[in-house]
Structure formats: structure tokens, C-alpha cells
Amino acid sequence: EREVVASPREGSVRAKRRVAADQLESASMIGSYDDVSSMPDWAVPEVAFLGRSNVGKSSMLNALVGSRKAVAIASKRPGRTRRINVFRVADRRGTTCAFIDLPGYGYAALAKSEQTAIGTFVEGYLDQRRQLKLVVLILDARRRADEAAVDLEVLDALRARGV
């Protein structure tokens, strides 16, 4: 059985909420945000998906929710997601969590200033959201070791934040 588990960060309450991925009943987009402070202030645990541009974050979200109609828009062009997209997911029991589609990193066709701004925005989300319980870092297995340096830096940054 596949499960999406949102468990609290270290040092917080040890209770767990489980949303059974094979029993998802609904998934809907809540909104798209370019400012962390405008995101919903709710008690819903958030599971964020992070990875390089065009690694398949939106496709992964669609596969997890198993909807006939795509919930997250998957683009063939890298660097299209520049906002934080929030989706509410519930299983048949009514247990709810939120899937967060974060902008990707590593797309060189964006101006350096825009890449920096997006990076700062994502770091703000990771640092400020008390609802964030889990980060799924999606890696491209086809990358050579010398190309994966940025992925390792992101992994180190996540570890340093305790997520």
C-alpha cells in the first residue's frame, strides 16, 4: 500500500496523520502564490515537492492523486513554475493534507536575478511554513555525478533546515 505520510518536524508533537494514496477521493488546486505570507493559514500538514526544473514534480503530483484529469499542469518547457502551487488532497476517511508544487531550480535560461529571486522565495517557504511536514526531493537518475552537485547542495540545505 502506498501512503503519503506527513509527520511533524523534529522537536514538535509526535502525532502522525496519514493520507492513503490509493484511497484518495479528492484533489483540488487551492491557489498559486508568489508570497509566502499570502498562503493559507491552516492546520493542514503540507508535503512539498522540490527538484530541478522539468524533473517531473507536477507529473509526480498527478500520479499520486491518480486523477483522470490532471490537477497540476505539467509543462514540456523547463522553468514554467515560478509560483508555489497548493493542492488540497483528501482520502475517503476525510483525512486531508496539502501537496505543494515548488518552483524548480537549475534552469539556466532564466536570468540570474530571476533564478536568485525564485531561490530566495522557495527558501522563505521552507523556513517560514510551520505547516510544512515533509519535503520530497525528486532527482533525475540520468544525471551524471558531476551534474548532480546542485542536487547535493539542495539536500544539504534541507538537512540544515531540519526538513
Side-chain angles (χ1 to χ4, degrees):
E1 176 180 283
R2 296 176 303 149
E3 286 191 345
V4 176
V5 179
S7 59
R9 290 182 178 189
E10 272 184 56
S12 61
V13 179
R14 300 298 300 171
K16 290 186 179 183
R17 294 182 185 183
R18 295 179 186 271
V19 176
D22 61 342
Q23 297 179 13
L24 292 179
E25 186 166 284
S26 66
S28 59
M29 183 166 194
I30 299 299
S32 189
Y33 304 91
D34 56 12
D35 180 9
V36 176
S37 65
S38 65
M39 294 178 67
D41 185 19
W42 55 9
V44 176
E46 295 176 356
V47 178
F49 293 82
L50 180 62
R52 287 179 180 267
S53 295
N54 220 31
V55 74
K57 295 178 297 297
S58 298
S59 297
M60 170 74 83
L61 288 168
N62 288 329
L64 284 172
V65 299
S67 177
R68 289 184 193 103
K69 180 182 173 196
V71 176
I73 298 170
S75 173
K76 295 200 183 307
R77 290 181 37 207
R80 300 297 294 175
T81 303
R82 297 189 183 165
R83 304 175 93 193
I84 294 178
N85 297 312
V86 178
F87 304 90
R88 179 179 225 136
V89 179
D91 66 13
R92 292 183 190 131
R93 299 170 304 198
T95 304
T96 302
C97 74
F99 285 172
I100 311 299
D101 188 6
L102 295 172
Y105 57 86
Y107 185 54
L110 292 177
K112 190 69 170 171
S113 61
E114 195 168 1
Q115 288 180 27
T116 301
I118 290 172
T120 302
F121 175 46
V122 170
E123 287 174 5
Y125 170 79
L126 295 171
D127 291 339
Q128 297 172 29
R129 291 298 283 183
R130 70 187 190 310
Q131 297 89 339
L132 177 62
K133 305 302 178 192
L134 178 70
V135 175
V136 178
L137 178 60
I138 303 171
L139 303 174
D140 187 343
R142 298 171 297 182
R143 294 262 175 206
R144 295 186 325 258
D146 60 328
E147 295 177 310
V150 69
D151 295 318
L152 295 174
E153 289 174 18
V154 169
L155 184 57
D156 288 342
L158 290 171
R159 284 183 181 141
R161 286 180 167 80
V163 292

